């Protein structure tokens, strides 16, 4: 029988008004990959923050036993000294520093006031080689993609002599190819004796990589499934997470009433805002009709977000050209305010960086895109603002004790609902959703899909950008395929398949 490396006993953690963890137990054996799954707000990340010292000893009840020793971590550095290293969902890298500088930030090579740069970059190259990243350690972080940045974080963890590696949604921002490569790297580490804990909402990846799966629901441990003995199919995991069978991941629209074209983009070309000779959107033409969900699929870096943001009041790009038609009439949107006035909304993929003000309340975030709707003569009616926030909280089933709570205290799925509420209150005719379900659980995904269906049922138009092919196939009436800034295919829902979408991309690359 394998040695138990980690045991967390009866962990209880309370925030103001919320019991985030209620007597949670977790046992992890040496050399295994152990998955933590549960709906958003279940307590997974909170549990790992307790383990890694983000929440210090004394702010929670219960015991952490690691490698046979009761541990009381007061800060992250304490857990790292024991070989416990956490990689958070939001990567902690500084864009204008090199890979090597980032890897040893806070863990510098050399003496106190004299960093040994040769040793720094030499050690960095060693760990980059281990994770299979063929980049110079002197490359700036801003010049590499998200998948490579994730590998830098893993190399950084290895440089801290990690024995227990914790990964919180490591593939949330990655395409399928990069995700598979990262999971295979974890399997390789396992062969070499590394122990890993992975939090992920991508259940197919959990089934592929995990030896054991612990399900947490509403802050409590529900069960632990063992790959060697139990059924760990996606349907079985979902049942543990949500407490019931979820027979259909994508809700059906009872009837489709697709009308006239509401938004049309013709010959749309966009150049990079900094590298002004680089074309990021190349002569793109697309349209969406009233009552229709249109998908835009493609690999990371295909230009999907750049297209969406440039349409949304030129909020991205340089030297933008082409025609933008709303209900058959050409419009010129100079800025985001113009876009909102013309009833276009864009739900960003970066909800924490660009979508929400985390230090502000749910109430303020809900109304900020349509202050006219809660004010008179430029004076905000606080009672109306509160009533609107409560209405959308109930409509979207956002889990929170109060709309006065700061958005930064919510789980990812509930933050996403607040972001949706913000733009729904602006009452757009065209809603562009960029990775609307990234990093959220199957239950919250289903609720967001229902919201999309409700919107198009009232004649709204929805554009969905997603890296998850099953999502695009399950929700969209039509799908455009983008690659290297161009539209390389268009397919109806009836004709669409993962193979067909990938074939458009592969043919374009030849």
């Amino acid at each position: 029988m394998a040695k138990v490396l980690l045991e967390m006993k009866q962990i209880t953690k309370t925030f103001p008004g919320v019991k985030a963890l209620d007597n949670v137990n977790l046992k992890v054996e040496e050399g295994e990959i152990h998955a933590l799954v549960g709906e958003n707000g279940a307590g997974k990340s909170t549990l790992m923050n307790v383990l890694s010292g983000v929440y210090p000893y004394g702010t929670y009840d219960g015991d952490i036993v690691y490698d046979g020793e009761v541990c009381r971590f007061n800060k992250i550095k304490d857990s790292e000294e024991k070989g416990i290293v956490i990689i958070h969902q939001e990567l902690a890298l500084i864009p204008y520093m090199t890979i090597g500088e980032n890897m040893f930030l806070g863990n510098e090579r050399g003496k106190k006031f004299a960093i040994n740069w040769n040793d720094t970059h030499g050690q960095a190259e060693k760990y980059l080689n281990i994770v299979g990243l063929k980049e110079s350690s002197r490359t700036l972080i801003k010049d590499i993609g998200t998948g490579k940045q994730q590998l830098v974080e893993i190399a950084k963890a290895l440089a801290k002599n990690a024995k227990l590696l914790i990964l919180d949604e490591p593939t949330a921002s990655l395409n399928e190819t990069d995700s598979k490569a990262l999971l295979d790297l974890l399997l390789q580490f396992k062969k070499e004796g590394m122990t890993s804990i992975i939090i992920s909402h991508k259940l197919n990846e959990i089934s592929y990589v995990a030896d054991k799966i612990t399900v947490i629901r509403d802050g409590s441990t529900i069960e632990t499934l063992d790959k060697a003995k139990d059924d760990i199919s996606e349907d079985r995991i979902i049942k543990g997470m949500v407490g019931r069978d979820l027979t259909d991941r994508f809700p059906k629209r009872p009837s489709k009433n697709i009308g006239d074209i509401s938004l049309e983009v013709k010959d749309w070309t966009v150049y990079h805002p900094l590298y002004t000779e680089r074309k990021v959107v190349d002569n793109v033409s697309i349209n969406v009709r009233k009552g229709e969900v249109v998908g835009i699929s493609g690999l990371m870096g295909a230009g999907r977000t750049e297209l969406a943001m440039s349409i949304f009041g030129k909020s991205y790009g340089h030297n933008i050209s082409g025609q933008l038609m709303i209900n058959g009439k050409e419009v010129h949107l100079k800025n985001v305010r113009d876009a909102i006035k013309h009833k276009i909304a864009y739900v960003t993929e970066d909800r924490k960086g660009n979508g929400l003000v985390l230090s502000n309340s749910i109430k303020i975030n809900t109304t900020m895109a349509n202050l006219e709707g809660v004010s008179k003569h430029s004076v905000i009616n606080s009672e109306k603002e509160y009533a609107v926030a409560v209405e959308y909280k109930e409509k979207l089933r956002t889990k929170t004790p109060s709309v006065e709570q700061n958005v930064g205290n919510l789980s990812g799925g509930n933050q996403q609902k607040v972001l949706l509420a913000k733009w729904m209150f602006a009452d757009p005719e065209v809603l562009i959703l960029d990775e609307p379900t990234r990093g959220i659980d199957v239950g919250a995904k289903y609720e967001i899909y229902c919201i999309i269906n409700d919107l198009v049922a009232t004649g709204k138009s929805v554009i969905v950008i997603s890296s998850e092919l099953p999502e695009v196939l399950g929700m969209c009436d039509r799908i455009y395929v983008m690659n290297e800034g161009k539209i390389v295919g268009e397919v109806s829902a009836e004709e669409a398949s993962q193979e067909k979408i990938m074939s458009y991309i592969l043919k374009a690359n030849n």
Side-chain angles (χ1 to χ4, degrees):
M1 188 173 174
K3 170 189 170 185
V4 174
L5 180 66
L6 169 72
E7 191 167 4
M8 301 183 77
K9 300 179 180 179
Q10 297 182 310
I11 303 295
T12 298
K13 171 70 178 169
T14 303
F15 296 103
V18 181
K19 185 175 271 191
L21 299 172
D22 188 4
N23 288 310
V24 170
N25 295 292
L26 176 68
K27 191 181 287 188
V28 179
E29 293 182 350
E30 195 170 52
E32 76 177 6
I33 299 176
H34 198 112
L36 272 184
V37 300
E39 295 187 275
N40 286 102
K44 309 178 299 295
S45 296
T46 303
L47 185 66
M48 292 300 97
N49 284 337
V50 166
L51 171 60
S52 59
V54 172
Y55 300 134
Y57 178 75
T59 65
Y60 62 88
D61 295 321
D63 290 316
I64 298 170
V65 182
Y66 177 74
D67 206 10
E69 178 187 349
V70 176
C71 295
R72 296 172 176 175
F73 303 132
N74 291 307
K75 53 186 182 296
I76 293 176
K77 195 82 172 172
D78 294 345
S79 63
E80 288 182 346
E81 285 174 359
K82 294 285 186 182
I84 301 171
V85 183
I86 186 168
I87 300 173
H88 295 281
Q89 186 175 348
E90 281 76 33
L91 302 182
L93 299 173
I94 298 172
Y96 285 90
M97 291 179 71
T98 66
I99 291 173
E101 287 168 336
N102 270 278
M103 280 179 59
F104 290 100
L105 190 62
N107 184 29
E108 286 80 7
R109 309 290 92 175
K111 297 176 182 177
K112 193 170 185 179
F113 296 107
I115 293 172
N116 185 330
W117 290 113
N118 287 333
D119 189 27
T120 297
H121 288 290
Q123 288 287 310
E125 298 282 356
K126 168 187 160 186
Y127 289 109
L128 292 176
N129 188 52
I130 290 172
V131 300
L133 181 53
K134 294 176 173 57
E135 288 283 349
S136 166
S137 64
R138 289 175 167 80
T139 302
L140 295 179
I141 290 293
K142 73 176 184 64
D143 294 330
I144 62 175
T146 309
K148 290 182 177 180
Q149 288 181 22
Q150 189 69 262
L151 291 178
V152 171
E153 282 281 22
I154 294 173
K156 181 178 173 181
L158 296 181
K160 294 174 180 175
N161 299 314
K163 295 176 184 173
L164 173 60
L165 186 61
I166 305 165
L167 303 104
D168 192 350
E169 297 289 352
T171 65
S173 301
L174 305 185
N175 61 38
E176 290 189 19
T177 304
D178 287 343
S179 295
K180 175 71 163 48
L182 190 146
L183 296 172
D184 286 338
L185 183 62
L186 289 185
L187 290 170
Q188 180 59 41
F189 288 163
K190 175 189 162 184
K191 287 180 184 175
E192 295 165 5
M194 173 82 77
T195 308
S196 301
I197 298 174
I198 181 171
I199 298 172
S200 179
H201 291 305
K202 297 183 180 181
L203 301 184
N204 60 324
E205 296 180 357
I206 291 295
S207 299
Y208 174 66
V209 80
D211 299 299
K212 291 195 183 78
I213 302 164
T214 293
V215 180
I216 298 178
R217 190 194 315 148
D218 297 328
S220 300
T221 313
I222 300 300
E223 60 186 346
T224 295
L225 303 172
D226 188 332
K227 193 175 198 172
K229 299 182 286 188
D230 300 314
D231 172 17
I232 62 163
S233 64
E234 292 181 44
D235 288 341
R236 176 66 185 84
I237 298 168
I238 290 169
K239 186 175 182 179
M241 286 171 59
V242 302
R244 65 186 191 281
D245 290 314
L246 197 61
T247 53
D248 195 345
R249 307 269 188 95
F250 303 100
K252 302 296 182 202
R253 268 176 274 158
S255 61
K256 294 184 181 180
N257 187 18
I258 296 174
D260 297 333
I261 292 173
S262 56
L263 176 75
E264 185 170 14
V265 177
K266 292 182 178 178
D267 306 322
W268 198 255
T269 297
V270 181
Y271 288 83
H272 194 284
L274 297 177
Y275 307 105
T276 53
E277 294 181 0
R278 185 175 142 210
K279 204 182 282 185
V280 290
V281 177
D282 189 357
N283 203 38
V284 163
S285 296
I286 64 169
N287 65 68
V288 59
R289 295 175 178 272
K290 293 175 182 177
E292 183 181 37
V293 182
V294 166
I296 303 181
S297 184
L299 300 178
M300 200 74 67
R304 298 166 302 166
T305 293
E306 292 82 355
L307 170 64
M309 291 181 67
S310 62
I311 291 170
F312 185 57
K314 298 183 177 178
S315 52
Y316 174 90
H318 164 78
N319 194 20
I320 298 170
S321 62
Q323 284 183 293
L324 187 64
M325 319 279 285
I326 296 176
N327 296 323
K329 294 181 181 178
E330 185 172 3
V331 296
H332 300 278
L333 307 180
K334 296 175 183 176
N335 50 43
V336 169
R337 183 181 287 273
D338 278 353
I340 295 170
K341 281 182 180 176
H342 283 84
K343 298 291 186 180
I344 299 175
Y346 169 66
V347 178
T348 175
E349 62 177 337
D350 181 11
R351 59 179 173 254
K352 292 191 176 182
N354 297 324
L356 299 166
V357 181
L358 300 183
S359 59
N360 278 353
S361 67
I362 295 167
K363 177 183 73 176
I364 290 172
N365 275 277
T366 300
T367 59
M368 65 168 54
N370 182 18
L371 291 176
E372 292 85 353
V374 291
S375 63
K376 191 173 183 180
H377 305 306
S378 300
V379 177
I380 291 173
N381 182 331
S382 58
E383 288 183 6
K384 190 170 184 182
E385 185 180 40
Y386 182 85
V388 165
V390 169
E391 177 190 345
Y392 279 95
K393 167 190 173 291
E394 292 172 354
K395 189 183 288 185
L396 274 59
R397 295 198 282 180
T398 308
K399 290 180 182 176
T400 176
S402 167
V403 294
E404 300 288 359
Q405 184 162 11
N406 281 359
V407 170
N409 294 334
L410 300 179
S411 67
N414 287 304
Q415 287 179 353
Q416 190 70 12
K417 289 180 182 180
V418 175
L419 184 56
L420 276 172
K422 165 185 163 181
W423 288 112
M424 286 170 68
F425 180 56
D427 193 28
E429 293 300 321
V430 178
L431 186 62
I432 305 171
L433 304 174
D434 196 348
E435 303 288 359
T437 65
R438 172 176 289 169
I440 64 176
D441 64 78
V442 287
K445 281 184 179 182
Y446 189 87
E447 290 176 352
I448 287 172
Y449 298 149
C450 289
I451 292 164
I452 292 171
N453 282 352
D454 290 345
L455 288 168
V456 293
T458 63
K460 309 287 189 187
S461 306
V462 176
I463 297 173
V464 174
I465 297 170
S466 178
S467 299
E468 294 188 33
L469 288 179
E471 181 169 87
V472 173
L473 295 168
M475 286 302 297
C476 299
D477 301 302
R478 256 185 321 127
I479 301 162
Y480 290 104
V481 184
M482 274 192 85
N483 189 61
E484 295 183 354
K486 298 178 181 179
I487 298 293
V488 295
E490 179 185 349
V491 61
S492 68
E494 293 75 23
E495 301 171 320
S497 67
Q498 294 198 32
E499 292 76 16
K500 191 155 195 171
I501 289 171
M502 287 308 299
S503 72
Y504 278 125
I505 294 168
L506 294 172
K507 284 176 185 174
N509 286 331
N510 289 337

